[in-house]
mmCIF file of all heavy atoms in Angstrom:
data_model
loop_
_atom_site.group_PDB
_atom_site.id
_atom_site.type_symbol
_atom_site.label_atom_id
_atom_site.label_comp_id
_atom_site.label_asym_id
_atom_site.label_seq_id
_atom_site.Cartn_x
_atom_site.Cartn_y
_atom_site.Cartn_z
ATOM 1 N N ALA A 81 99.769 87.528 110.036
ATOM 2 C CA ALA A 81 101.125 88.101 109.859
ATOM 3 C C ALA A 81 102.192 87.342 110.684
ATOM 4 O O ALA A 81 101.794 86.708 111.646
ATOM 5 C CB ALA A 81 101.143 89.693 110.320
ATOM 6 N N PRO A 82 103.404 87.503 110.453
ATOM 7 C CA PRO A 82 104.334 86.934 111.165
ATOM 8 C C PRO A 82 104.462 87.511 112.600
ATOM 9 O O PRO A 82 104.588 88.792 112.748
ATOM 10 C CB PRO A 82 105.745 87.218 110.496
ATOM 11 C CG PRO A 82 105.400 88.401 109.620
ATOM 12 C CD PRO A 82 104.005 88.333 109.299
ATOM 13 N N GLY A 84 106.831 86.933 115.902
ATOM 14 C CA GLY A 84 107.900 86.185 116.481
ATOM 15 C C GLY A 84 107.600 85.762 117.890
ATOM 16 O O GLY A 84 106.788 86.200 118.638
ATOM 17 N N SER A 111 107.276 83.455 111.282
ATOM 18 C CA SER A 111 108.432 84.460 111.425
ATOM 19 C C SER A 111 109.807 83.555 111.606
ATOM 20 O O SER A 111 109.714 82.434 112.179
ATOM 21 C CB SER A 111 108.325 85.107 112.805
ATOM 22 O OG SER A 111 109.518 85.684 113.248
ATOM 23 N N GLN A 132 108.716 84.264 106.756
ATOM 24 C CA GLN A 132 109.193 85.598 106.806
ATOM 25 C C GLN A 132 110.680 85.535 107.227
ATOM 26 O O GLN A 132 111.181 84.827 108.155
ATOM 27 C CB GLN A 132 108.452 86.440 107.837
ATOM 28 C CG GLN A 132 108.885 87.855 108.170
ATOM 29 C CD GLN A 132 109.993 87.838 109.228
ATOM 30 O OE1 GLN A 132 109.906 87.109 110.284
ATOM 31 N NE2 GLN A 132 110.838 88.745 109.086
ATOM 32 N N TYR A 134 114.326 87.207 108.282
ATOM 33 C CA TYR A 134 115.234 88.183 108.886
ATOM 34 C C TYR A 134 116.726 87.651 108.613
ATOM 35 O O TYR A 134 116.746 86.518 108.604
ATOM 36 C CB TYR A 134 115.112 88.269 110.341
ATOM 37 C CG TYR A 134 113.951 89.138 110.855
ATOM 38 C CD1 TYR A 134 113.247 88.630 111.964
ATOM 39 C CD2 TYR A 134 113.684 90.378 110.383
ATOM 40 C CE1 TYR A 134 112.160 89.388 112.499
ATOM 41 C CE2 TYR A 134 112.730 91.189 110.859
ATOM 42 C CZ TYR A 134 111.911 90.589 111.998
ATOM 43 O OH TYR A 134 110.913 91.446 112.493
ATOM 44 N N THR A 160 111.409 91.258 105.430
ATOM 45 C CA THR A 160 111.027 92.436 106.153
ATOM 46 C C THR A 160 112.141 93.502 106.112
ATOM 47 O O THR A 160 113.370 93.101 106.339
ATOM 48 C CB THR A 160 110.717 91.931 107.627
ATOM 49 O OG1 THR A 160 109.677 91.140 107.602
ATOM 50 C CG2 THR A 160 110.339 93.063 108.557
ATOM 51 N N LYS A 258 108.068 93.250 103.054
ATOM 52 C CA LYS A 258 107.039 93.666 104.058
ATOM 53 C C LYS A 258 107.805 94.885 104.793
ATOM 54 O O LYS A 258 108.924 94.798 105.213
ATOM 55 C CB LYS A 258 106.950 92.638 105.029
ATOM 56 C CG LYS A 258 106.162 92.976 106.429
ATOM 57 C CD LYS A 258 105.839 91.667 107.068
ATOM 58 C CE LYS A 258 104.923 91.987 108.396
ATOM 59 N NZ LYS A 258 105.875 92.565 109.545
ATOM 60 N N SER A 280 103.382 98.320 105.752
ATOM 61 C CA SER A 280 103.397 97.944 107.078
ATOM 62 C C SER A 280 104.347 98.878 107.832
ATOM 63 O O SER A 280 105.434 99.216 107.272
ATOM 64 C CB SER A 280 103.923 96.491 107.228
ATOM 65 O OG SER A 280 104.216 96.062 108.601
ATOM 66 N N HIS A 282 105.169 97.592 110.924
ATOM 67 C CA HIS A 282 105.499 96.685 111.989
ATOM 68 C C HIS A 282 104.697 96.822 113.171
ATOM 69 O O HIS A 282 105.049 96.706 114.378
ATOM 70 C CB HIS A 282 107.047 96.778 112.425
ATOM 71 C CG HIS A 282 107.755 95.561 112.664
ATOM 72 N ND1 HIS A 282 108.710 94.991 111.738
ATOM 73 C CD2 HIS A 282 107.632 94.685 113.618
ATOM 74 C CE1 HIS A 282 109.079 93.964 112.201
ATOM 75 N NE2 HIS A 282 108.483 93.591 113.169
ATOM 76 N N GLY A 283 103.507 97.239 112.825
ATOM 77 C CA GLY A 283 102.540 97.457 113.949
ATOM 78 C C GLY A 283 102.955 98.500 115.033
ATOM 79 O O GLY A 283 102.626 98.323 116.189
ATOM 80 N N ARG A 285 105.988 99.045 115.982
ATOM 81 C CA ARG A 285 107.016 98.557 116.976
ATOM 82 C C ARG A 285 108.418 98.963 116.441
ATOM 83 O O ARG A 285 109.355 98.731 117.225
ATOM 84 C CB ARG A 285 106.851 96.965 116.935
ATOM 85 C CG ARG A 285 105.516 96.446 117.403
ATOM 86 C CD ARG A 285 105.344 95.083 117.125
ATOM 87 N NE ARG A 285 106.154 94.103 117.719
ATOM 88 C CZ ARG A 285 105.834 93.670 119.020
ATOM 89 N NH1 ARG A 285 104.764 94.175 119.586
ATOM 90 N NH2 ARG A 285 106.583 92.885 119.641
ATOM 91 N N ASP A 313 99.131 95.731 106.596
ATOM 92 C CA ASP A 313 98.785 95.244 108.019
ATOM 93 C C ASP A 313 98.979 96.539 108.915
ATOM 94 O O ASP A 313 99.453 97.569 108.494
ATOM 95 C CB ASP A 313 99.656 94.175 108.373
ATOM 96 C CG ASP A 313 101.152 94.528 108.609
ATOM 97 O OD1 ASP A 313 101.546 95.605 108.923
ATOM 98 O OD2 ASP A 313 101.941 93.458 108.687
ATOM 99 N N GLY A 314 98.560 96.407 110.089
ATOM 100 C CA GLY A 314 98.589 97.498 111.082
ATOM 101 C C GLY A 314 97.285 98.046 111.531
ATOM 102 O O GLY A 314 96.575 98.611 110.793
ATOM 103 N N GLY A 315 96.932 97.729 112.784
ATOM 104 C CA GLY A 315 95.679 98.253 113.374
ATOM 105 C C GLY A 315 94.379 97.440 112.988
ATOM 106 O O GLY A 315 93.292 97.959 113.282
ATOM 107 N N ARG A 317 91.532 95.421 113.540
ATOM 108 C CA ARG A 317 90.864 94.844 114.721
ATOM 109 C C ARG A 317 89.487 94.360 114.404
ATOM 110 O O ARG A 317 88.870 93.634 115.175
ATOM 111 C CB ARG A 317 90.908 95.756 115.949
ATOM 112 C CG ARG A 317 92.186 96.320 116.332
ATOM 113 C CD ARG A 317 93.023 95.377 116.993
ATOM 114 N NE ARG A 317 94.205 95.910 117.463
ATOM 115 C CZ ARG A 317 95.387 95.938 116.647
ATOM 116 N NH1 ARG A 317 95.464 95.364 115.475
ATOM 117 N NH2 ARG A 317 96.570 96.603 117.125
ATOM 118 N N GLY A 336 98.085 90.944 112.960
ATOM 119 C CA GLY A 336 99.139 90.560 113.911
ATOM 120 C C GLY A 336 98.441 90.370 115.253
ATOM 121 O O GLY A 336 98.131 89.211 115.708
ATOM 122 N N ARG A 337 98.388 91.549 115.924
ATOM 123 C CA ARG A 337 97.807 91.309 117.300
ATOM 124 C C ARG A 337 96.448 90.742 117.373
ATOM 125 O O ARG A 337 96.126 90.014 118.450
ATOM 126 C CB ARG A 337 97.798 92.767 118.006
ATOM 127 C CG ARG A 337 99.163 93.268 118.288
ATOM 128 C CD ARG A 337 99.209 94.661 118.969
ATOM 129 N NE ARG A 337 100.442 95.366 118.992
ATOM 130 C CZ ARG A 337 101.112 95.940 118.110
ATOM 131 N NH1 ARG A 337 100.557 96.115 116.874
ATOM 132 N NH2 ARG A 337 102.329 96.510 118.243
HETATM 133 C C1 FMN B 401 104.357 90.391 119.158
HETATM 134 C C2 FMN B 401 104.666 90.716 117.830
HETATM 135 C C3 FMN B 401 105.825 90.076 117.043
HETATM 136 C C4 FMN B 401 106.107 90.424 115.890
HETATM 137 N N1 FMN B 401 107.156 89.750 115.217
HETATM 138 C C5 FMN B 401 107.499 90.010 113.908
HETATM 139 C C6 FMN B 401 108.438 89.291 113.113
HETATM 140 O O1 FMN B 401 109.082 88.336 113.748
HETATM 141 N N2 FMN B 401 108.650 89.481 111.868
HETATM 142 C C7 FMN B 401 107.947 90.531 111.237
HETATM 143 O O2 FMN B 401 108.259 90.680 110.012
HETATM 144 N N3 FMN B 401 106.956 91.145 111.801
HETATM 145 C C8 FMN B 401 106.631 90.947 113.110
HETATM 146 N N4 FMN B 401 105.714 91.543 113.853
HETATM 147 C C9 FMN B 401 104.889 92.636 112.985
HETATM 148 C C10 FMN B 401 103.634 91.912 112.325
HETATM 149 O O3 FMN B 401 103.945 91.036 111.398
HETATM 150 C C11 FMN B 401 102.665 92.978 111.748
HETATM 151 O O4 FMN B 401 103.447 93.823 110.843
HETATM 152 C C12 FMN B 401 101.986 93.822 112.792
HETATM 153 O O5 FMN B 401 101.625 93.044 113.931
HETATM 154 C C13 FMN B 401 100.686 94.429 112.191
HETATM 155 O O6 FMN B 401 100.037 95.146 113.108
HETATM 156 P P1 FMN B 401 98.817 94.715 114.083
HETATM 157 O O7 FMN B 401 99.472 93.945 115.183
HETATM 158 O O8 FMN B 401 98.300 95.982 114.500
HETATM 159 O O9 FMN B 401 97.976 93.782 113.207
HETATM 160 C C14 FMN B 401 105.381 91.323 115.058
HETATM 161 C C15 FMN B 401 104.254 91.776 115.691
HETATM 162 C C16 FMN B 401 103.981 91.626 116.964
HETATM 163 C C17 FMN B 401 102.712 92.207 117.647
#
Side-chain angles (χ1 to χ4, degrees):
S111 164
Q132 179 267 325
Y134 281 137
T160 301
K258 174 173 179 282
S280 175
H282 219 106
R285 301 164 72 80
D313 74 22
R317 303 287 183 270
R337 293 183 184 81

